[in-house]
Amino acid sequence: VAAMEAERSRIAADIHDDALQELTMLGWRLDASGDTQSAATAREVAERLRAILGDLRLPILDDLGTGPALEWLVERVGRLADGEVKLERSDAVRPPAEVELAFFRVAQEALSNAVRHGRPPITVRYVTTPSSASLAIDDAGAGIDPTAQAAGAATASGHFGLLNMRQRAEQIGALLDVRRWPTGGTRVTLEWRS
């Protein structure tokens, strides 16, 4: 997991320092030459690259913490989901950086799964205290298939989301629980204590 995050950071830096800068200069040159349509296309591609950079490494996570990063993520996912996605948070205390990163990446995966396999409403709850942090993500879909909860089933089918979430939880000494509500829907919870 640490190697994966280091690679994400390296790729983000490479995209930002190379391709995005070149694309921005190309847009200026196209504007200066009067080719406004191509300049607009270059700006659109640059915005898509910025969104990819946000997925790879979020400055908001480093600067402001998991709560604001979750606000950004929920707003973004809300535009993709066909229904309500909301965040409830109480996070006056910031946990250590590695905990914040793990919580954000688990939320990212869980929200992606909720949009693809579940259905709205989707609720994200994030709470911190001086010695703990908790995350819960609920959707109203049919619920996770019990056989998909086994890490072996996830890797055999080529779906590594659950395995990645478990590895992130283990890396910070947290507990991850993914289960189906008896009435339908999936709940993903992550609990950490210092």
Side-chain angles (χ1 to χ4, degrees):
V1 172
M4 187 168 57
E5 282 303 323
E7 185 66 5
R8 282 176 182 256
S9 293
R10 186 195 64 74
I11 291 169
D14 286 351
I15 290 172
H16 180 270
D17 296 343
D18 186 21
L20 190 56
Q21 301 304 324
E22 290 292 327
L23 195 55
T24 301
M25 288 191 298
L26 175 62
W28 291 337
R29 280 183 256 153
L30 289 167
D31 266 334
S33 71
D35 189 351
T36 56
Q37 185 176 3
S38 295
T41 301
R43 281 191 291 278
E44 285 176 25
V45 172
E47 283 305 310
R48 281 187 254 153
L49 279 177
R50 284 187 186 89
I52 291 169
L53 289 174
D55 285 340
L56 290 171
R57 190 69 188 172
L58 272 177
I60 192 172
L61 181 63
D62 296 333
D63 297 342
L64 302 177
T66 304
L70 287 174
E71 283 184 10
W72 173 85
L73 181 62
V74 164
E75 181 182 321
R76 188 168 174 215
V77 168
R79 289 190 299 255
L80 302 173
D82 194 21
E84 181 184 21
V85 182
K86 67 179 181 175
L87 172 65
E88 299 169 2
R89 58 181 268 232
S90 175
D91 57 318
V93 179
R94 287 183 67 178
E98 66 274 7
V99 172
E100 288 193 309
L101 178 61
F103 269 70
F104 180 77
R105 293 296 184 204
V106 167
Q108 209 172 20
E109 181 66 34
L111 279 169
S112 174
N113 289 341
V115 169
R116 284 184 308 192
H117 306 296
R119 73 170 198 264
I122 300 167
T123 303
V124 179
R125 291 175 190 86
Y126 178 62
V127 177
T128 64
T129 70
S131 61
S132 68
S134 67
L135 174 73
I137 299 171
D138 291 291
D139 72 62
I144 188 169
D145 180 349
T147 61
Q149 293 183 38
T155 56
S157 64
H159 301 288
F160 293 94
L162 290 172
L163 179 61
N164 285 340
M165 288 191 293
R166 282 191 174 87
Q167 288 175 338
R168 288 186 182 283
E170 288 172 9
Q171 185 181 34
I172 61 169
L175 297 175
L176 176 76
D177 185 44
V178 181
R179 64 180 58 205
R180 181 184 186 277
W181 283 104
T183 56
T186 300
R187 168 171 268 202
V188 175
T189 58
L190 183 62
E191 301 282 339
W192 172 84
R193 289 186 184 160
S194 60

